[in-house]
Amino acid sequence: MKFIIRFFAWTVVSLLFVSYSAGYIPPSVSVIFSLAGLGFPYIWITVLILFPILLMTRIKWLAFISLAILGITSPVFMHHFGVQLNHEKNNLPYSIYDFNTFGLRDPDTASDQIKNQKAFHEILNKGHYSLICLQEYPMKGSKHGKFYQQLDEGLHLPYKSLSSYYWDQKFTDYILVTASRYLILDEKIFSYDSLNFAMYSDIKFPEGVIRVYNVHFQSVKLTSERKLLMINRHIDPESAFTQMVYALKKLRTAFHHREKQAKIIAESIRSSPYPVIIAGDFNDTPVSFVYRTLKRGMRDASTSRGFKRTYKYSRFPLQIDYILNSREISTGNFKVINNNLSDHFAISSGFRVDTKNN
């Protein structure tokens, strides 16, 4: 019995170390670490449960190794699981709202995008946000000009940056939109593999200019494989295995693309003359190489009690949307918002600028 416990403990502790390494080892070196990183919080909890069992069975040396690894990895675990004592902050004059709109289509029902667009703008206007970052926002060409008109006139923030789309085409583009209460001085769109995946907007707040990055990193593009996240009791084992194989192939491709995209944005941030806010859909977890690459030197605004979850269609707590900010910016009053228009939850946070910059 002692041998079985010791073998199992060694296996789980080793897995914890491998999953923790996902933030440090690029997927281009080995995708195994990135895949293991997806299970990090559950492996961490398993090791925590094992610790008293190891003590009771007098395998103390392995218990202390487990405790040491738990201590080393606990800061990363706290990115998944928040213990928030007082999340309300006063004197935060600004607020940011971030949302992957999924084309403003309710995933569970047939949707009228124009009707949803109008209703969505009303929600945003009632929130009185200073800054809004949207991903996968639907935009049609000139023959469907109502989309642009409703965005321009219906969303009551006077300054807007849009990633490029085909004005003269009939089909719908899904674009990035950054809307601001304050003047946008400059903007830049980032492309990878012929697709726009990010943009920044230099916004002149009263305290100075802030560079706001709106990002949508490579999606895994799970379709039928999404059932694996729902713990579907009716799926047969053969179908589950096939979907798992397809999901792993898609994950591998997405990991590689996101690594390159994150490096492009990190390089841009390093050369920014202004404090920075990054908001958007990372499509990756807090233990990932993408998150660690962009989190370096930044703060995470997404504090909450319990496990953090921004992807709606997963029974597992899965955070893939974030608001990060430079240390010159303070945040608080973080919220996760469900508005039934996407497969994501929206997130919002208050913030203030602590130093003046020109």
Side-chain angles (χ1 to χ4, degrees), residues 113-126:
Q113 284 180 308
I114 292 181
K115 181 179 177 181
N116 288 345
Q117 185 195 38
K118 185 176 181 180
F120 179 54
H121 290 171
E122 290 175 356
I123 293 170
L124 295 179
N125 292 335
K126 288 178 182 177

Side-chain angles (χ1 to χ4, degrees), residues 6 10-11 19 36 71 119 122 145-146 165 202 234-235 241 261:
R6 189 162 46 237
W10 263 122
T11 302
S19 65
E122 290 175 356
K146 284 184 179 180
Y165 65 97
D202 291 340
H234 305 293
I235 188 170
F241 177 77
Q261 291 169 341

Side-chain angles (χ1 to χ4, degrees), residues 183-203:
L183 178 65
I184 296 176
L185 300 174
D186 194 13
E187 61 187 54
K188 179 179 178 179
I189 299 171
F190 296 86
S191 297
Y192 171 79
D193 200 21
S194 302
L195 295 175
N196 300 326
F197 73 93
M199 66 180 181
Y200 73 60
S201 306
D202 291 340
I203 302 176

Side-chain angles (χ1 to χ4, degrees), residues 310-329:
T310 64
Y311 185 66
K312 188 185 300 183
Y313 289 92
S314 172
R315 296 282 173 84
F316 305 100
L318 186 58
Q319 182 185 13
I320 57 177
D321 303 89
Y322 304 89
I323 299 170
L324 307 180
N325 53 275
S326 297
R327 297 189 180 279
E328 298 94 333
I329 298 169

Side-chain angles (χ1 to χ4, degrees), residues 281-322:
D281 179 6
F282 288 18
N283 271 308
D284 231 328
T285 69
V287 78
S288 65
F289 182 82
V290 167
Y291 178 84
R292 186 175 183 276
T293 297
L294 296 175
K295 175 69 165 53
R296 192 177 293 120
M298 308 280 281
R299 293 171 174 166
D300 190 338
S302 55
T303 56
S304 63
R305 293 185 180 91
F307 278 107
K308 301 172 186 179
R309 179 172 172 240
T310 64
Y311 185 66
K312 188 185 300 183
Y313 289 92
S314 172
R315 296 282 173 84
F316 305 100
L318 186 58
Q319 182 185 13
I320 57 177
D321 303 89
Y322 304 89

Side-chain angles (χ1 to χ4, degrees), residues 154-171:
L155 183 55
H156 298 164
L157 289 175
Y159 305 102
K160 300 177 180 72
S161 295
L162 281 64
S163 62
S164 56
Y165 65 97
Y166 294 95
W167 176 252
D168 58 347
Q169 298 295 326
K170 294 181 181 180
F171 58 80

Side-chain angles (χ1 to χ4, degrees), residues 258-285:
R258 288 197 295 267
E259 175 190 341
K260 294 177 182 177
Q261 291 169 341
K263 286 179 177 178
I264 291 170
I265 299 304
E267 180 63 30
S268 174
I269 290 170
R270 281 194 290 270
S271 63
S272 173
Y274 311 118
V276 164
I277 292 175
I278 313 170
D281 179 6
F282 288 18
N283 271 308
D284 231 328
T285 69

